[in-house]
Amino acid sequence: MRINDITSNEELKRGIRQFLETAPDIYMAGVSVDTVIFGFHNDKLKALLLRFGNTPYFVLPGGYIMKEENLDDAALRILQERTGLKNIYLEQFYTSGNTSRSKEEVAMELTQKMIGTIPNSNWFAQRFVSVCYYALIDDTKVNPVTEVFFTEVKWFDVNKLPKTLYDHDAIISKALKRLQGDLDEKLVGSNLMGETFTMGQLQKLYEAVHQKKYVRTNFQRKMLSLGVLERLEKQYNGKSHKAPYLYRFTDRK
Amino acid sequence: MRINDITSNEELKRGIRQFLETAPDIYMAGVSVDTVIFGFHNDKLKALLLRFGNTPYFVLPGGYIMKEENLDDAALRILQERTGLKNIYLEQFYTSGNTSRSKEEVAMELTQKMIGTIPNSNWFAQRFVSVCYYALIDDTKVNPVTEVFFTEVKWFDVNKLPKTLYDHDAIISKALKRLQGDLDEKLVGSNLMGETFTMGQLQKLYEAVHQKKYVRTNFQRKMLSLGVLERLEKQYNGKSHKAPYLYRFTDRK
């Protein structure tokens, strides 16, 4: 689909017009929120993106902060409004504020094509400094849905991301780097592992997040040296003695 | 000095009136910047604060972002305008956005006392989400100066901070926590150590930043295990053989 094939849509125009009538009274000008939601299950790391209107471009779930709303609360509300996801632990990791991010030409052209020139639509053309949050969740345990402006919500393998708008590629890269650092530091992955797990399952999480393979023995040594894993005694239940050891986190969040 | 002793000042009023006339045209509404400048020399960790007008309260060096200015550039400019400090490496670490931070009563009362009620002074009463940066520098190598609204710029031992306004205490605590994490991770202290240094000098930096004592042998083992230090051969220059080994960073930034 090329940009020229994108046509405007009356329902969308009506929705946007309604939004724009009240937006300056409801939301702070100048500051927005973007969220990078990483999904993991078995062995793949994914990122959750929204299709921008009926275009081939995708964006992060994001939005605006209400005038009387705490920043962290805004992030949770925005994520829920865009994707339906609730009760997700969001970690603030970065605030993006180059002037160039608000001047992304493709995004401006697409918006214009879809909604035309309508009063006050300069709200979208304003400069926004965006406060960015990330989360790591089990993507099989959620069922994201989105609303009219975003026609699709989709998980993408972090190695096969679609075309994105604004500075969202750079924000995803920064989020991934932060997630990699937080994996040891803050055990952000511990909620994905179940109460008990094998070293092999944990290794798959690390390999997906760090996008590289580890040697099994090195990985085990590194993990045990962190001092956060407890090895459980094997239960002799008549099954093979070769069943792998199970572990659990001692400092579970 | 009690709040009641604070009197308004004609020069200050004039300056503020000038600022307020142009501020809405020049600066973004809703977003501000605060900087936490840590100073270290020999063995003490300090933080740089500005006296708020002629009150007994202090604040972080902070300010507003110009409409056509990148966020990181704004942070550098603001730091220079408030303190005269130039060419400081600032690390963004947090964005503070609770609604309560803009409603700090003492700050509002003090501002009112100093500048009275002047047109457009609601600029200061707006809600600002503040993007926070920190730096760690050798405080003996700089000579901070400040301007009329802030009557004093001063280093304080991080254990003996004065009364501050807004959420600046919380921001300083968050900055210290981040500095502690970054000390190993990013070698943020390496620029303070000179080309070569003794293990004892490095230990003093770590003790000041982490606010605790280390056992010499444990500290040395921990540092060497990071794999970033190179031990230099002793120079036999006729002085005592008991002179300590010198080290340097192999991965100096």
Side-chain angles (χ1 to χ4, degrees), chain B residues 72-89:
Chain B
D72 290 349
D73 297 334
L76 291 168
R77 175 186 54 77
I78 287 164
L79 181 62
Q80 184 171 356
E81 284 178 5
R82 293 282 175 277
T83 68
L85 298 185
K86 277 195 271 194
N87 303 321
I88 303 286
Y89 175 74

Side-chain angles (χ1 to χ4, degrees), chain A residues 19-20 33 35 90-91 115 141-142 145 152 181-182 206 229:
Chain A
F19 171 83
L20 290 173
V33 164
T35 61
L90 288 171
E91 174 92 7
I115 67 174
K141 293 199 173 149
V142 294
V145 291
E152 190 182 6
D182 284 352
Y206 270 72
L229 293 179

Side-chain angles (χ1 to χ4, degrees), chain A residues 2-211:
Chain A
R2 292 160 309 154
I3 292 180
N4 283 337
D5 297 334
I6 293 159
T7 55
S8 74
N9 166 318
E10 285 310 315
E11 189 197 355
L12 182 62
K13 270 192 191 171
R14 219 171 13 253
I16 300 282
R17 191 173 285 123
Q18 259 171 15
F19 171 83
L20 290 173
E21 270 169 19
T22 54
D25 292 330
I26 298 178
Y27 300 106
M28 295 185 77
V31 210
S32 60
V33 164
D34 281 298
T35 61
V36 182
I37 309 302
F38 291 113
F40 174 80
H41 190 79
N42 285 341
D43 60 358
K44 283 252 183 317
L45 189 70
K46 292 154 226 162
L48 190 67
L49 295 172
L50 306 176
R51 186 184 290 276
F52 190 77
N54 55 353
T55 79
Y57 293 89
F58 283 77
V59 294
L60 293 168
Y64 307 110
I65 304 157
M66 289 182 186
K67 289 186 178 182
E68 286 295 327
E69 182 180 39
N70 291 332
L71 177 57
D72 290 349
D73 297 335
L76 291 169
R77 175 187 53 78
I78 288 164
L79 181 62
Q80 184 171 356
E81 284 178 5
R82 294 282 175 276
T83 69
L85 299 185
K86 278 194 269 195
N87 304 321
I88 304 284
Y89 175 74
L90 288 171
E91 174 92 7
Q92 192 202 97
F93 71 96
Y94 174 59
T95 295
S96 178
N98 274 356
T99 56
S100 57
R101 71 184 301 278
S102 314
K103 296 169 182 163
E104 222 269 6
E105 285 187 13
V106 175
M108 294 215 277
E109 194 181 339
L110 292 174
T111 308
Q112 173 102 42
K113 282 215 179 264
M114 283 189 290
I115 67 174
T117 305
I118 57 179
N120 299 318
S121 64
N122 53 354
W123 172 271
F124 295 120
Q126 284 180 90
R127 176 181 179 192
F128 285 97
V129 167
S130 190
V131 186
C132 303
Y133 290 78
Y134 89 86
L136 175 63
I137 63 177
D138 181 335
D139 57 85
T140 64
K141 293 199 173 149
V142 294
N143 186 21
V145 291
T146 191
E147 21 89 6
V148 56
F149 192 77
F150 303 101
T151 55
E152 190 182 6
V153 55
K154 199 171 167 183
W155 290 105
F156 288 93
D157 188 312
V158 290
N159 284 318
K160 292 171 193 153
L161 295 177
K163 282 185 287 189
T164 61
L165 295 174
Y166 308 105
D167 54 352
H168 290 189
D169 263 352
I171 289 174
I172 296 167
S173 297
K174 276 205 181 262
L176 181 58
K177 220 171 151 188
R178 178 65 168 266
L179 168 62
Q180 290 167 347
D182 284 352
L183 204 55
D184 286 357
E185 196 77 28
K186 300 186 178 179
L187 308 179
V188 289
S190 65
N191 290 321
L192 299 186
M193 283 287 103
E195 181 59 34
T196 62
F197 46 88
T198 66
M199 195 57 85
Q201 287 169 327
L202 189 62
Q203 185 170 341
K204 279 184 175 166
L205 171 66
Y206 270 72
E207 289 179 341
V209 168
H210 285 280
Q211 303 280 299

Side-chain angles (χ1 to χ4, degrees), chain B residues 121-137:
Chain B
S121 63
N122 53 355
W123 173 271
F124 295 120
Q126 282 182 89
R127 175 179 179 193
F128 285 98
V129 166
S130 190
V131 186
C132 302
Y133 290 78
Y134 89 85
L136 174 63
I137 63 176

Side-chain angles (χ1 to χ4, degrees), chain B:
Chain B
M1 184 191 278
R2 292 160 309 153
I3 292 181
N4 284 336
D5 298 334
I6 292 159
T7 55
S8 74
N9 166 318
E10 285 310 314
E11 189 197 355
L12 183 63
K13 271 191 189 171
R14 222 175 7 255
I16 300 282
R17 192 171 284 126
Q18 259 172 15
F19 171 83
L20 290 172
E21 271 169 19
T22 53
D25 292 331
I26 297 177
Y27 300 106
M28 295 185 76
V31 210
S32 60
V33 164
D34 281 297
T35 60
V36 183
I37 309 302
F38 291 114
F40 174 80
H41 190 79
N42 285 340
D43 60 357
K44 283 251 182 318
L45 190 70
K46 292 155 226 163
L48 191 66
L49 294 172
L50 307 176
R51 187 185 289 277
F52 190 76
N54 56 351
T55 79
Y57 292 89
F58 283 77
V59 293
L60 292 168
Y64 307 109
I65 303 157
M66 288 182 188
K67 289 187 177 179
E68 286 295 326
E69 183 181 40
N70 291 332
L71 177 57
D72 290 349
D73 297 334
L76 291 168
R77 175 186 54 77
I78 287 164
L79 181 62
Q80 184 171 356
E81 284 178 5
R82 293 282 175 277
T83 68
L85 298 185
K86 277 195 271 194
N87 303 321
I88 303 286
Y89 175 74
L90 288 171
E91 174 93 6
Q92 191 202 96
F93 70 97
Y94 174 61
T95 295
S96 178
N98 274 356
T99 56
S100 55
R101 69 183 302 278
S102 313
K103 295 170 182 164
E104 221 270 5
E105 285 187 15
V106 175
M108 294 215 278
E109 194 182 338
L110 291 174
T111 307
Q112 173 103 42
K113 283 218 177 262
M114 283 190 289
I115 67 175
T117 306
I118 57 179
N120 299 315
S121 63
N122 53 355
W123 173 271
F124 295 120
Q126 282 182 89
R127 175 179 179 193
F128 285 98
V129 166
S130 190
V131 186
C132 302
Y133 290 78
Y134 89 85
L136 174 63
I137 63 176
D138 182 334
D139 56 84
T140 63
K141 293 201 174 150
V142 295
N143 186 22
V145 290
T146 192
E147 22 89 6
V148 57
F149 192 76
F150 304 101
T151 55
E152 189 181 9
V153 55
K154 199 171 167 183
W155 290 105
F156 288 93
D157 188 313
V158 290
N159 285 317
K160 292 171 195 155
L161 296 177
K163 283 185 287 189
T164 61
L165 295 174
Y166 308 105
D167 54 352
H168 290 189
D169 262 352
I171 290 174
I172 296 167
S173 296
K174 275 204 181 264
L176 181 57
K177 219 169 151 190
R178 179 64 168 267
L179 168 62
Q180 290 168 347
D182 284 352
L183 203 55
D184 286 357
E185 195 76 29
K186 301 187 177 179
L187 308 178
V188 289
S190 66
N191 290 322
L192 298 186
M193 283 288 104
E195 182 59 33
T196 62
F197 46 87
T198 65
M199 195 57 85
Q201 287 169 326
L202 188 62
Q203 184 170 340
K204 281 185 175 165
L205 171 66
Y206 270 72
E207 289 180 341
V209 167
H210 285 280
Q211 303 278 301
K212 64 180 178 194
K213 294 286 174 195
Y214 292 99
V215 175
R216 195 177 58 82
T217 47
N218 293 348
F219 179 77
Q220 174 157 339
R221 195 179 314 114
K222 176 186 143 94
M223 282 299 114
L224 294 177
S225 78
L226 294 176
V228 297
L229 293 179
E230 181 190 356
R231 195 175 79 176
L232 303 177
E233 290 305 315
K234 282 191 184 178
Q235 304 289 322
Y236 289 92
N237 54 9
K239 289 188 191 159
S240 163
H241 286 205
K242 295 210 168 172
Y245 278 104
L246 288 175
Y247 294 84
R248 69 175 164 215
F249 284 106
T250 51
D251 181 22
R252 205 184 168 82
K253 293 207 170 162

Side-chain angles (χ1 to χ4, degrees), chain A residues 219-234:
Chain A
F219 179 77
Q220 174 157 340
R221 194 177 316 116
K222 176 187 143 93
M223 281 301 113
L224 293 178
S225 78
L226 294 177
V228 296
L229 293 179
E230 180 190 357
R231 195 175 80 176
L232 304 176
E233 289 305 315
K234 281 190 184 179

